[in-house]
Amino acid sequence: MSRYIVVASPKGGAGKTTLLAQLASRLSTNGTRCLAVDLDPQNALAMQLGSPAKWVSGQQPTTASLAHTVGIVNQELSSQALMEYLKSRRAAVAHLPFGAHNAYSRRHAEETLASDPQALRARIEGLLPPRCEAVLIDTPAGQNAWAEAALSFADLVLVPLLAEPACLALLPSYEVYLSAHATRAEPKHILYVVNRWNPAQQLACDVFSVLCDSLGDRVWSRCIFDDEHLREAFARNDPQAHDPGSQAGADFEQLARFTREWLNGATGANAPPATLNGAQARAS
Amino acid sequence: MSTYSGAVLRAVKALGYVLCGSLLALAAITTPLPLKAQAMLGVLLYVVALVLNRFSQRSVTLVMMSLSLLSSTRYMYFRLSTTLPSFVLALDAVLGLVLLAAEIYAFVMLFLGYFQSAWPLERKPVSLPADLARWPSVDVFIPTYNEPLRVVAPTVLAARAIDWPHDKLKVYILDDGCRAELAAFAAEVGVEYFERIESDHAKAGNINKALGKSHGEYVLILDCDHVPTRSILQVATGWLLRDAKLALIQTPHHFYSPDPFERNLQTFRTQPNEGELFYRLIQRGNDLWNATFFCGSCAVLRRTALEAVGGIAVETVTEDAHTALKMQRHGYRTAYIDVPQIGGLATESLSAHVGQRQRWARGMAQIFRVDNPFLGRGLSLAQRLCYAASMLHFFHALPRLVFLLAPLSYLFFGLQILQGSPMLVLAYSLPHLLHASMTNSRVQGKYRYSFWSEVYETALAPFIALPTTLALFAPKAGKFNVTAKGGKVGRTYFDRSIAWPHIVLAALNLAGVVIGLRRFYLGLEFADVAILNAGWCAYNSLMLGAALSVARETLQRRAVPRLPVRLPVALLLPTGHARAAETRDLALSGARLIAPNLPAQMAGTKLSLCWVDADRLAIPAVVVRHEGDDLQLRFDDLMVDARAALVERMFSRADTWTTWHEGRRLDRPIVEIARIFLHGLRGLGQAARTPFSWRPRS
């Protein structure tokens, strides 16, 4: 029985896709069978997983030349075809792109979602690789039909945030949104993760204290540091390169460990264990 | 107090009576034996003891103590009955009595030592009530006089971080020096600050004045360089809540910097230091007999008990032990928990160390005169014996000097201060010495290696002799001198001002060796006596040499506490990279890290050090050295919360010190005596090599 992990965020640029790609990559490396699904029309997940669009210079890119003609938005796709596609791309991580689309196919897909909320789940389950343990789903930022559909059957929701006032301002309405749509996940399985963390900025530290005060245990006690290494690796077209010295890499590794424990059912609540005395209080 | 220690106490008392009875019986059978019989008896008892030593039960330890006391009593009986000089030769008689007095002192200390460590308690911390509202209020007193702020600051920051309800914990800096920067620091970190213009009675007066101005039910007293862990109150206070008559919980003084012996002999962490015998064994032994005494710091006291005895005692310079004595006379109990919960700085030079011991010696002698534990009401016999043991310990100086000079009386002047055949004396004294050595190794071996007591005593004896004797006759004379903390030995040098008595004694003993050997090789009469005395002189010389090797002060590289701590950290580089690293050691002035895969040479780069767990802050740092994966950072001008975060990571973990003593080798007497002899040779060589001129102490 696979579990569904949905990554959603109130604001764009919070690092959803990067987080999901890192998580999927590290879980796969450690032996967990998982499938990463991209519900974001940007098709960013494939880029993060190392299979970008191939541009042939001098030519106008067409839908066909874009590598993601295969995708969830294509109704005719079968599981076998997906596997062959992935093998042909030599993908290290099993992933399902959004797919090539235009305005018509998108609107058609969204109407299907609206009319039949269970359709998306059924679709994904039809495409699962064998013995898949976890499905990680990337969603577009903000409040939209794709996010609502994914949240409806999510077991674990990860919400990356930036420690900045704009994110903080969106939080209350987003919490309401999540509680309305993430009906299957328990409240303690909606986890906020501070991303692009830079404690040298005093404002970031202050925002984090406010987050801790209002969210308590639901914000992960560990933050994912802002690390130039991730962007450089992406630019080198090798985003899955695991540099042992990269702090962000170490943080993602810890997040993967936490997710692994959650999958095994070991910890349901916020791991790692309680922070040092008064740490939450002192953060204020 | 729980029934556990009560039952143990009864059992030990019963056993004690039985042993006493049998000892008395055996003493009656101390018939003198001829040489061969005595030698055989000695060998037999020694073999029995060797076999018994294989078993590790505590009851076997008591039996071995009895055997040792039996041998020693036989020896003393023999000494007293056979070997006293006849009164015809007056000088011989006087010196003979002096030597006898010294040996009687050693015998009494042997007995008292066994008594004190008969059954050391292993008191564990007990839990506090589940309801936080029932936890008591505690005041933390940090008295200071002239110690610099960089020494006091970590203590204050760590005290502030103690795990205790905020409204029930108050930290006070008690400043006898009225320094503005301390007041400013107190205001900045949010602790109370008391200053005292008058400075009568030094630390005792300081604390007493603060007692009048504060209200906590309990008082935790910390020396200004004793940094507490976060759990100290939870470890100590449980017992106080369970026993209304308990006035004091004492915890060990634990030092994370080497004392002069450890630094100059380079035995830090590999060998138990001088304080471990007291804090890890003797106080636990005292605890069984309800004779634990206050050591001036790292203890939680009940305010009502302190007030009942009129505050900290001011009549002597060891106000701490005296206060405990007074509280016990009043009917209060005391207890000891051997869980190190503070980390402090050891004395930084041999002269400072000697100064501290002189104060303790003087104070204990004063208490012996002013408030003698054998006299007066309120103490049980066991308590009197334990206090007496601790006080009499400081009178070791004169007997030690007697032992260092005794063989010379024959070798230089031909005086016979001991009558009888040397072989017979040997046959009686060897079992006494060997049993004592084996039993002490068994009882104390984990906390003090064999024969090192002699080294410590020899090193201190010339300096304690005068203060103790003076204090015994004129307790009010002499003034309190504070032990300097936080200094730095600026260079490697041989401290002649501390070493000269040992140099003189060593020279005399070496001369004795030469004279004795000459008599032996020339085949003069009483050559056997000569060779025995020469052997004793050789032993003395090597002990003095070991004491001398401590006088060579080695350069102390750091004046700021630096501790080995392994924590994951993130380094924020100016290029936007965040590198994962692990600390190797931390100090308030900088840190050493291991960081894999760093970009090119980073010396001189400015970066931020961040924790990856709690404490969201970034510490600005500069790379001082970068070699491979090894990085040395320097912190400049830290903010208070950065300093507090560093202090907490260095000192505040509940288990910071609990594994400090692990990984040590066992005590092996033969190895230790050999090592001491090597130190001795080295020390004699060092003393001989330095030019013969008076070098002023820097």
Side-chain angles (χ1 to χ4, degrees):
Chain A
M1 240 308 265
S2 23
R3 315 287 293 279
Y4 290 92
I5 302 171
V6 172
V7 179
S9 171
K11 194 167 179 296
K16 280 187 310 312
T17 312
T18 313
L19 186 146
L20 191 138
Q22 288 280 331
L23 199 55
S25 157
R26 288 166 191 277
L27 284 174
S28 300
T29 317
N30 286 334
T32 309
R33 286 180 212 282
C34 52
L35 174 71
V37 177
D38 195 356
L39 296 183
D40 192 341
Q42 286 179 7
N43 271 307
L45 185 60
M47 287 191 272
Q48 283 286 359
L49 288 173
S51 47
K54 294 255 188 297
W55 298 100
V56 180
S57 64
Q59 287 183 358
Q60 186 74 283
T62 63
T63 311
S65 68
L66 289 174
H68 330 291
T69 49
V70 169
I72 192 157
V73 81
N74 307 123
Q75 298 298 323
E76 309 81 27
L77 186 65
S78 72
S79 172
Q80 200 181 0
L82 176 62
M83 290 299 114
E84 279 172 21
Y85 162 73
L86 290 174
K87 216 181 339 187
S88 72
R89 314 264 338 132
R90 288 191 289 278
V93 181
H95 69 276
L96 177 60
F98 188 80
H101 54 86
N102 53 34
Y104 172 73
S105 59
R106 270 200 316 280
R107 208 173 308 132
H108 178 72
E110 281 162 15
E111 278 163 12
T112 317
L113 273 184
S115 62
D116 184 6
Q118 297 299 317
L120 177 63
R121 179 176 177 170
R123 183 102 186 83
I124 292 176
E125 280 180 3
L127 294 169
L128 285 180
R131 293 193 307 279
C132 179
E133 293 168 69
V135 182
L136 298 97
I137 303 178
D138 191 14
T139 58
Q143 306 182 5
N144 52 74
W146 295 101
E148 285 149 27
L151 286 170
S152 67
F153 54 88
D155 295 306
L156 174 70
V157 181
L158 296 174
V159 182
L161 295 173
L162 300 177
E164 56 173 34
C167 257
L168 200 57
L170 290 170
L171 201 55
S173 56
Y174 201 67
E175 282 189 89
V176 172
Y177 178 70
L178 284 179
S179 53
H181 293 281
T183 44
R184 188 173 137 123
E186 299 172 39
K188 63 181 180 181
H189 290 157
I190 300 175
L191 193 62
Y192 295 81
V193 179
V194 173
N195 207 354
R196 305 266 292 276
W197 170 241
N198 185 355
Q201 294 167 345
Q202 185 57 46
L203 189 56
C205 298
D206 294 340
V207 168
F208 184 75
S209 323
V210 178
L211 279 174
C212 288
D213 280 346
S214 46
L215 295 172
D217 263 350
R218 287 178 294 140
V219 64
W220 196 36
S221 56
R222 191 169 168 139
C223 303
I224 301 184
F225 276 79
D226 185 23
D227 195 347
E228 189 71 8
H229 165 76
L230 293 175
R231 294 183 279 278
E232 285 175 354
F234 185 82
R236 279 196 311 266
N237 195 24
D238 191 13
Q240 295 305 305
H242 294 170
D243 176 2
S246 155
Q247 180 61 42
D251 297 328
F252 282 126
E253 195 61 50
Q254 198 62 31
L255 185 63
R257 208 167 294 152
F258 163 76
T259 312
R260 176 83 240 172
E261 282 175 10
W262 173 80
L263 279 172
N264 292 341
T267 58
N270 191 353
T275 53
L276 297 172
N277 168 56
Q280 303 283 39
R282 220 183 355 270
S284 62
Chain B
M1 206 98 82
S2 74
T3 52
Y4 163 73
S5 79
V8 167
L9 204 53
R10 279 193 296 275
V12 177
K13 273 187 182 161
L15 199 56
Y17 287 137
V18 166
L19 285 173
C20 273
S22 14
L23 268 181
L24 284 172
L26 288 170
I29 319 173
T30 50
T31 46
L33 295 172
L35 177 62
K36 242 193 201 152
Q38 168 62 26
M40 277 187 351
L41 178 65
V43 167
L44 176 68
L45 284 182
Y46 190 67
V47 166
V48 168
L50 271 179
V51 167
L52 282 176
N53 206 13
R54 296 251 152 240
F55 301 94
S56 56
Q57 286 87 332
R58 289 200 188 203
S59 43
V60 173
T61 307
L62 292 178
V63 174
M64 285 185 69
M65 284 183 186
S66 313
L67 277 180
S68 168
L69 286 174
L70 170 65
S71 294
S72 303
T73 320
R74 271 193 73 76
Y75 170 69
M76 289 311 298
Y77 182 78
F78 162 77
R79 246 337 233 113
L80 285 165
S81 59
T82 327
T83 63
L84 288 184
S86 58
F87 285 89
V88 177
L89 308 151
L91 186 58
D92 284 19
V94 167
L95 292 179
L97 285 177
V98 166
L99 179 61
L100 182 68
E103 290 195 63
I104 291 178
Y105 171 84
F107 174 72
V108 167
M109 291 312 296
L110 183 72
F111 167 72
L112 286 177
Y114 286 161
F115 182 79
Q116 252 186 333
S117 46
W119 200 281
L121 274 188
E122 279 173 18
R123 189 184 293 266
K124 298 275 180 273
V126 292
S127 55
L128 289 147
D131 179 16
L132 279 180
R134 289 169 51 200
W135 288 26
S137 53
V138 179
D139 293 331
V140 182
F141 285 176
I142 304 177
T144 168
Y145 174 51
N146 60 0
E147 297 82 4
L149 177 59
R150 60 175 166 77
V151 169
V152 184
T155 311
V156 176
L157 292 170
R160 201 178 62 143
I162 291 178
D163 270 348
W164 201 257
H166 282 301
D167 52 330
K168 298 198 176 172
L169 179 72
K170 269 196 150 156
V171 180
Y172 295 86
I173 302 181
L174 310 180
D175 188 7
D176 247 355
C178 304
R179 287 160 290 168
E181 59 167 356
L182 272 190
F185 176 74
E188 198 185 356
V189 303
V191 299
E192 307 285 337
Y193 176 82
F194 287 163
E195 63 176 12
R196 207 164 71 113
I197 320 275
E198 74 278 12
S199 46
D200 48 318
H201 302 306
K203 183 171 150 192
N206 201 358
I207 295 177
N208 286 337
K209 184 154 181 203
L211 277 175
K213 295 200 273 183
S214 57
H215 307 284
E217 293 168 60
Y218 296 98
V219 176
L220 167 66
I221 300 188
L222 295 172
D223 272 357
C224 61
D225 64 305
H226 286 175
V227 185
T229 61
R230 64 192 321 144
S231 54
I232 182 172
L233 286 180
Q234 292 188 48
V235 161
T237 323
W239 284 102
L240 287 165
L241 289 180
R242 293 191 188 201
D243 182 359
K245 276 306 216 176
L246 193 61
L248 164 77
I249 290 271
Q250 176 71 49
T251 65
H253 288 206
H254 174 85
F255 300 113
Y256 57 83
S257 67
D259 66 27
F261 294 96
E262 292 176 298
R263 194 175 59 249
N264 299 336
L265 300 179
Q266 284 160 19
T267 56
F268 186 50
R269 303 292 307 262
T270 57
Q271 172 178 325
N273 67 33
E274 197 214 349
E276 280 189 47
L277 179 65
F278 178 71
Y279 289 111
R280 296 182 67 205
L281 181 68
I282 293 188
Q283 279 280 54
R284 281 170 52 214
N286 282 340
D287 198 11
L288 174 76
W289 304 114
N290 186 20
T292 303
F293 59 86
F294 179 38
C295 300
S297 172
C298 321
V300 183
L301 295 101
R302 189 183 295 273
R303 177 183 289 269
T304 46
L306 267 179
E307 286 169 353
V309 299
I312 305 279
V314 297
E315 298 90 344
T316 69
V317 293
T318 41
E319 70 276 359
D320 37 27
H322 196 192
T323 309
L325 183 61
K326 283 187 180 182
M327 290 199 290
Q328 275 168 335
R329 284 194 195 274
H330 246 86
Y332 287 103
R333 284 188 277 269
T334 59
Y336 185 75
I337 296 186
D338 184 22
V339 177
Q341 288 291 290
I342 64 102
L345 289 171
T347 47
E348 80 278 2
S349 68
L350 186 58
S351 45
H353 192 84
V354 165
Q356 186 189 60
R357 296 310 150 105
Q358 279 178 326
R359 178 172 70 82
W360 294 358
R362 191 184 322 135
M364 288 298 198
Q366 284 177 331
I367 302 180
F368 203 70
R369 256 302 295 270
V370 161
D371 194 358
N372 195 305
F374 282 120
L375 309 172
R377 317 168 42 132
L379 299 175
S380 68
L381 175 65
Q383 284 175 320
R384 295 178 199 273
L385 287 176
C386 288
Y387 272 101
S390 298
M391 287 171 198
L392 288 174
H393 164 76
F394 285 97
F395 290 99
H396 67 76
L398 283 179
R400 177 62 46 192
L401 288 175
V402 167
F403 290 137
L404 287 171
L405 291 170
L408 303 176
S409 63
Y410 175 74
L411 291 168
F412 283 7
F413 308 115
L415 295 169
Q416 303 249 14
I417 58 176
L418 209 139
Q419 303 288 350
S421 124
M423 294 313 289
L424 192 59
V425 171
L426 209 59
Y428 273 93
S429 64
L430 260 189
H432 148 70
L433 293 170
L434 289 174
H435 270 106
S437 165
M438 191 199 306
T439 313
N440 275 326
S441 171
R442 179 194 172 91
V443 170
Q444 297 176 1
K446 265 196 336 188
Y447 316 107
R448 177 167 294 182
Y449 288 163
S450 298
F451 303 107
W452 279 92
S453 297
E454 310 233 350
V455 178
Y456 298 136
E457 286 187 12
T458 308
L460 295 171
F463 304 103
I464 302 185
L466 198 54
T468 39
T469 324
L470 192 63
L472 201 55
F473 294 112
K476 301 276 189 264
K479 57 178 175 30
F480 181 95
N481 55 316
V482 183
T483 312
K485 290 280 177 70
K488 185 165 91 165
V489 174
R491 65 190 198 289
T492 302
Y493 70 104
F494 189 81
D495 192 349
R496 284 203 145 230
S497 57
I498 276 293
W500 69 264
H502 304 96
I503 295 178
V504 168
L505 287 167
L508 289 172
N509 272 284
L510 284 171
V513 173
V514 167
I515 292 176
L517 283 176
R518 178 179 160 275
R519 283 190 80 95
F520 184 73
Y521 280 116
L522 288 183
L524 301 175
E525 60 168 351
F526 298 123
D528 51 349
V529 179
I531 201 68
L532 274 178
N533 278 304
W536 191 350
C537 281
Y539 177 82
N540 285 344
S541 310
L542 288 168
M543 280 295 168
L544 286 161
L548 278 172
S549 65
V550 186
R552 183 165 187 276
E553 299 279 18
T554 51
L555 180 66
Q556 204 183 19
R557 263 183 294 268
R558 292 191 171 89
V560 188
R562 179 174 288 264
L563 289 179
V565 179
R566 286 201 183 200
L567 286 174
V569 291
L571 297 174
L572 299 188
L573 303 184
T575 52
H577 289 88
R579 305 304 296 169
E582 195 182 50
T583 58
R584 282 292 178 267
D585 61 46
L586 279 185
L588 283 177
S589 58
R592 201 181 129 238
L593 314 158
I594 303 288
N597 286 9
L598 282 175
Q601 182 49 240
M602 291 206 342
T605 317
K606 289 198 179 154
L607 46 73
S608 296
L609 177 80
C610 311
W611 313 116
V612 299
D613 49 14
D615 279 337
R616 312 295 155 176
L617 45 78
I619 302 180
V622 172
V623 177
V624 170
R625 199 171 44 95
H626 178 197
E627 280 162 17
D629 283 351
D630 212 295
L631 214 59
Q632 183 79 39
L633 297 183
R634 188 186 75 227
F635 305 141
D636 292 321
D637 246 353
L638 291 177
M639 307 280 294
V640 167
D641 46 355
R643 283 200 284 182
L646 279 170
V647 165
E648 282 173 41
R649 276 158 184 78
M650 287 164 70
F651 293 103
S652 288
R653 292 189 327 275
D655 61 351
T656 310
W657 311 115
T658 48
T659 53
W660 188 267
H661 303 297
E662 283 176 9
R664 284 214 191 104
R665 59 176 194 281
L666 295 171
D667 177 31
R668 284 164 307 177
I670 312 277
V671 173
E672 291 312 312
I673 196 75
R675 284 181 65 232
I676 291 175
F677 283 173
L678 282 175
H679 282 301
L681 290 172
R682 200 163 59 101
L684 291 171
Q686 278 162 2
R689 242 178 298 146
T690 51
F692 195 78
S693 60
W694 177 259
R695 215 139 109 229
R697 193 183 344 168
S698 62

